[in-house]
Amino acid sequence: MIIRGGTFGPVATNTYIVADARGGSAWVVDPAMGSSAWAHETLSRLEATPVAVLDTHGHWDHIVENHVWAAEGLPVWVAGADADWLEAPSPFNPALFGDLPPTPGVTPARLLADGDVLELGDLRFRLLATPGHSPGCMVALEETHGEALVGDLVFAQGIGRTDFPRSDPRAMLASLERVFAEVPRETRIYPGHGPWAVTLGEAEPYARMFM
Ligand SMILES: [Zn+2]
């Protein structure tokens, strides 16, 4: 299992390329603003074929380059609760980002739900719905390899904000408790912002400062 990360755009959003093996199949996870050239280069270095875009949730900074991949024929996946944000992308706080070019919307090819299992070559990701930061936040856990894409649920030293439109602080607490209970502590996490590949067990005490 291969995961490569890069950090892009006005709020330092992490984009990941996840592949089952060199020369295998790959996902583009959370295509942030300005990530596409890096993502294409990473895919070609890995000789991997991109097969889908996985959006951990529908916030603008994580989906802004969906359209680049959709134009290449890739299906885009997101949880149903955040799907409308993909159809009409725009940041909540445009003033923060200056004069942005308009972001073309995409129609998700598949709406993800809790308990879904996504296969990527011989990798199997189990999805956990983790609402709170946004209604459609998902964690994708590859249990055999002990790696998880966690979006903006939990960071190396903190948790996602819950003061955005449609955020729900109470749901966030329940989602965090669920993940700390269900996901093994030694699982390496790949969050939407900040450092990655720390273990969930290392991140938990920092998260608990905000719970
Ligand atoms: Zn977010």
Side-chain angles (χ1 to χ4, degrees):
M1 178 171 180
I2 300 170
I3 305 182
R4 298 280 186 270
T7 304
F8 303 93
V11 289
T13 304
N14 294 336
T15 297
Y16 297 105
I17 299 295
V18 180
D20 61 334
R22 182 167 288 278
S25 302
W27 289 340
V28 179
V29 178
D30 289 354
M33 189 172 180
S35 65
S36 295
W38 168 84
H40 280 114
E41 190 185 302
T42 301
L43 286 162
S44 71
R45 234 181 306 126
L46 295 173
E47 295 166 15
T49 305
V51 295
V53 175
L54 175 67
D55 291 336
T56 59
H57 62 297
H59 283 161
W60 177 84
D61 57 308
H62 297 256
I63 65 154
V64 58
E65 294 193 353
N66 277 347
H67 65 96
V68 172
W69 303 97
E72 294 182 19
L74 265 64
V76 176
W77 302 336
V78 73
D82 285 4
D84 62 323
W85 278 329
L86 272 62
E87 305 265 1
S90 67
F92 304 134
N93 33 10
L96 191 64
F97 303 126
D99 197 12
L100 290 166
T103 306
V106 306
T107 300
R110 173 172 176 171
L111 299 180
L112 307 172
D114 188 66
D116 285 357
V117 174
L118 301 177
E119 296 188 358
L120 178 65
D122 59 3
L123 304 176
R124 286 168 59 84
F125 291 80
R126 181 163 65 89
L127 299 187
L128 290 81
T130 53
H133 172 71
S134 82
C137 281
M138 304 295 288
V139 165
L141 170 64
E142 216 295 342
E143 280 172 300
T144 306
H145 291 82
E147 320 247 28
L149 303 161
V150 298
D152 288 359
L153 175 72
V154 57
F155 303 133
Q157 298 192 346
I159 63 173
R161 289 171 62 165
T162 52
D163 59 336
F164 290 139
R166 299 193 211 168
S167 290
D168 180 343
R170 219 178 258 272
M172 185 68 165
L173 286 181
S175 294
L176 287 160
E177 293 292 5
R178 179 188 176 192
V179 163
F180 291 135
E182 271 186 41
V183 177
R185 297 177 53 77
E186 60 274 16
T187 306
R188 283 176 298 277
I189 60 169
Y190 295 81
H193 302 273
W196 55 82
V198 303
T199 67
L200 187 65
E202 288 167 333
E204 180 173 354
Y206 293 99
R208 291 209 178 272
M209 294 197 294
F210 301 96
M211 293 171 66

